[in-house]
Amino acid sequence: MRLFLGTGLVEEAEATVSPFDRGFTLGDGLFETLRVKGGKVLRVDAHLARLAAGAGLLGMPLPSLDLAAALAQTADANGLSDGVLRLTLTRGTGPRGVLPPAEPKPTLVITAAPLSPPLPAARLVIAQGTRRNDRSPLAQVKSLNYLDGILARQEAARRGADDAILLNTRDGVAETSIANLFAVINGGLVTPPLSEGVLPGVMRAEVIAAGAQERPLTVDDLASAEEILLTSALGIRSVASLEGRPLPSTAAAERLRGLIDGA
């Protein structure tokens, strides 16, 4: 694989990042996962806008290069017609301690991978061991620190499920460990608002534009849902069950896949 590191493409075997990089030592960084379809990187502007917003929140400068062009170069260099790109941006190296350096020099890495086969409908549980911190500004950031998601996903695996729904600090529904969540309730498609500790997903925005509504959701709401579906940059995934309750309907997910490119 050829990857983009710093200012240009390098071979994987030649790529190095300092062990003192704050992305490694502190998780001080951001990432974006982008879908490539037919050789085209989808929703580049939306992904880069979210990256810029996250960098602004963290006080992290963006690299002074054309990130859209760097993504396209990486896809092309790997012959990626249908696949996935991951853009990782850290604050770069720094001295010991939490306070960032006064003049950080960010590290940029873009990697490419083939698209995995479509996943079956997900079996979900509600995480008991961790919560989404809706009171933290980091809930709006696609941060390198994914430990709450990792804990939730490990719990799901122990319980024989594919993913776990994270509740927020007020017992409201937020999202799963890796995806935004939508539910069909009384015939309407709804999703929790960002104020519930929800990441502003790029595919989430597309589904809202297609007619979904935002409102707070409770566990009881999900218990009465006719259908649940998950969205990420890589597509829309149906949900087969929640806490063992079957959810056989996939009508909304199938309709949205027909409407939204790359869904």
Side-chain angles (χ1 to χ4, degrees):
M1 178 181 70
R2 300 189 72 195
L3 55 88
F4 197 100
L5 175 60
T7 59
L9 292 164
V10 299
E11 295 296 333
E12 181 179 358
E14 300 170 358
T16 59
V17 174
S18 169
F20 302 106
D21 192 288
R22 288 172 61 93
F24 173 70
T25 60
L26 296 170
D28 187 4
L30 305 164
F31 75 99
E32 292 288 329
T33 302
L34 301 94
R35 173 84 157 86
V36 180
K37 183 178 180 182
K40 178 184 177 182
V41 185
L42 301 183
R43 304 178 183 88
V44 174
D45 290 345
H47 281 285
L48 294 184
R50 183 171 64 183
L51 180 74
L57 177 66
L58 297 180
M60 180 188 303
L62 292 173
S64 56
L65 55 84
D66 187 335
L67 292 176
L71 288 160
Q73 287 175 32
T74 307
D76 185 63
N78 289 280
L80 202 64
S81 176
D82 290 286
V84 183
L85 295 173
R86 172 171 161 139
L87 184 159
T88 303
L89 181 69
T90 80
R91 205 183 300 262
T93 58
R96 281 182 51 80
V98 173
L99 187 67
E103 297 183 3
K105 297 179 180 178
T107 300
L108 171 68
V109 181
I110 303 174
T111 57
L115 191 67
S116 300
L119 293 170
R123 299 161 299 165
L124 298 183
V125 292
I126 296 172
Q128 303 299 312
T130 189
R131 296 283 175 123
R132 183 75 167 167
N133 186 359
D134 52 298
R135 301 179 184 185
S136 170
L138 295 180
Q140 307 296 309
V141 169
K142 202 163 176 65
S143 161
L144 292 182
N145 190 328
Y146 242 63
L147 291 177
D148 278 324
I150 291 169
L151 288 175
R153 183 63 183 81
Q154 288 176 316
E155 179 184 338
R158 289 194 300 269
R159 296 170 61 188
D162 301 304
D163 201 355
I165 295 172
L166 287 157
L167 304 181
N168 61 29
T169 62
R170 293 166 287 130
D171 294 331
V173 173
E175 57 192 14
T176 78
S177 70
I178 58 169
N180 293 125
L181 179 147
F182 289 79
V184 178
I185 299 174
N186 296 325
L189 186 62
V190 294
T191 191
L194 299 183
S195 58
E196 296 294 291
V198 173
L199 180 77
V202 170
M203 184 65 77
R204 175 184 181 274
E206 295 272 353
V207 175
I208 290 172
Q213 301 296 313
E214 293 180 284
R215 73 168 176 86
L217 295 176
T218 66
V219 172
D220 287 343
D221 288 328
L222 295 187
S224 66
E226 301 135 49
E227 179 180 353
I228 297 175
L229 56 94
L230 308 178
T231 66
S232 72
L234 302 186
I236 295 173
R237 187 179 185 185
S238 296
V239 172
S241 65
L242 173 59
E243 294 285 355
R245 180 175 77 89
L247 289 158
S249 176
T250 59
E254 290 170 3
R255 178 179 64 84
L256 289 164
R257 290 189 196 103
L259 286 175
I260 301 173
D261 186 32

